[in-house]
Amino acid sequence: MSALLGFVTEPDGGDVLLATAMLIVGALIIIVAIVSCIVSIVLAIRYIKFNRRANSAGLTGVEAARAILDANGLQHIKVKTVGSLMFGNSYSHYFKKVRLRRLTRHKTSITALAMGSQKAALAVLDKEGDPDMKRRIRLVPLITFGPFAFIPLIIVGAIIDILVFHTVGVITVALAIIGFLFYILALVLTIVTLKTEKKAQERAYSLLRENGMATEEELELMRELFKLYNIQYVNDIILSALEIIWRILEILARAKSNSASRR
């Protein structure tokens, strides 16, 4: 926001269209962030509520995941526990693991059944060579570390420009563009992730139904839980897109402010 404040207080009033665009995008980021916060709270409430309700099969998260993995020839995939809130229920292609939180690992709840079966279903999609799953796997290494390189890239570019050209210029812009590409890739990954997560949800419903591991009522409750997860993914997509637009507008505003100062 400092770039916007400095820009609109320029003697010539700055570029009205650019300032307006920044205000609109900034407002949208705040609105989406608030919606995301509300969805996260509702999701947490549902997660805990369904984690207190026992499932009819009496299966823990580990047992549900293990049963689906073994039934699909994936005995080599391990089921492990993650103890933090930062790293949640997930499937790792590279480490050949399904990870379940301690909250659901040994619980015989609907939430545990949902999380264990859905993450195991991701492994099934991986085995079957699902095209969206393949794209997700290829993008993960780039996106996991890529966005963290944005600021260092700009700093390196500025140092090179100052040492070689004695001004911030081409190298800084080039490396900033590379940083933006990482953000765009992050946006693409979020979209691909949503597709694979939804596919795994549907596959989990089928596997649970076919093997008599859940009733229709329980499947509906799982759908309710996963619907909130999907909404959160959509919020992440929108926020990623808005952040990309904001950073572009911020760079344009700084460039115009620096140009006006030199004049």
Side-chain angles (χ1 to χ4, degrees), residues 100-255:
L100 298 177
R101 286 178 176 159
R102 294 187 187 279
L103 289 171
T104 57
R105 177 177 169 84
H106 295 303
K107 280 274 193 176
T108 57
S109 65
I110 291 174
T111 297
L113 187 63
M115 295 300 113
S117 61
Q118 197 263 350
K119 298 312 170 187
L122 283 171
V124 174
L125 291 178
D126 187 7
K127 177 190 175 183
E128 294 173 348
D130 179 80
D132 291 320
M133 193 67 188
K134 284 184 175 180
R135 281 192 287 271
R136 170 175 170 165
I137 292 167
R138 285 196 298 267
L139 285 169
V140 163
L142 292 172
I143 307 308
T144 301
F145 305 103
F148 294 104
F150 181 75
I151 299 300
L153 281 172
I154 292 179
I155 293 173
V156 170
I159 291 173
I160 294 173
D161 274 333
I162 291 171
L163 292 177
V164 178
F165 302 105
H166 306 292
T167 184
V168 177
V170 177
I171 304 299
T172 304
V173 172
L175 293 182
I177 290 172
I178 293 174
F180 279 130
L181 290 177
F182 283 128
Y183 271 94
I184 293 171
L185 283 173
L187 176 61
V188 172
L189 177 63
T190 307
I191 296 171
V192 173
T193 298
L194 176 58
K195 291 182 68 176
T196 55
E197 290 291 322
K198 291 183 71 174
K199 281 186 177 181
Q201 290 161 18
E202 294 300 325
R203 178 59 62 86
Y205 302 146
S206 298
L207 291 169
L208 291 172
R209 185 181 290 110
E210 291 168 6
N211 292 282
M213 296 166 65
T215 65
E216 290 300 321
E217 180 187 3
E218 290 170 336
L219 291 176
E220 283 304 311
L221 293 177
M222 291 181 198
R223 287 183 187 277
E224 182 182 336
L225 185 64
F226 284 129
K227 183 179 180 180
L228 290 169
Y229 271 104
N230 296 340
I231 293 172
Q232 193 65 21
Y233 270 117
V234 172
N235 285 339
D236 290 341
I237 292 172
I238 296 171
L239 273 175
S240 296
L242 290 172
E243 285 172 2
I244 291 171
I245 295 170
W246 173 263
R247 290 186 179 277
I248 293 172
L249 293 173
E250 189 175 33
I251 287 176
L252 289 174
R254 289 186 183 279

Side-chain angles (χ1 to χ4, degrees), residues 1 4 8 18-28 246 249:
M1 288 294 180
L4 175 59
V8 297
L18 183 54
T20 302
M22 293 186 73
L23 286 170
I24 292 173
V25 173
L28 288 174
W246 173 263
L249 293 173

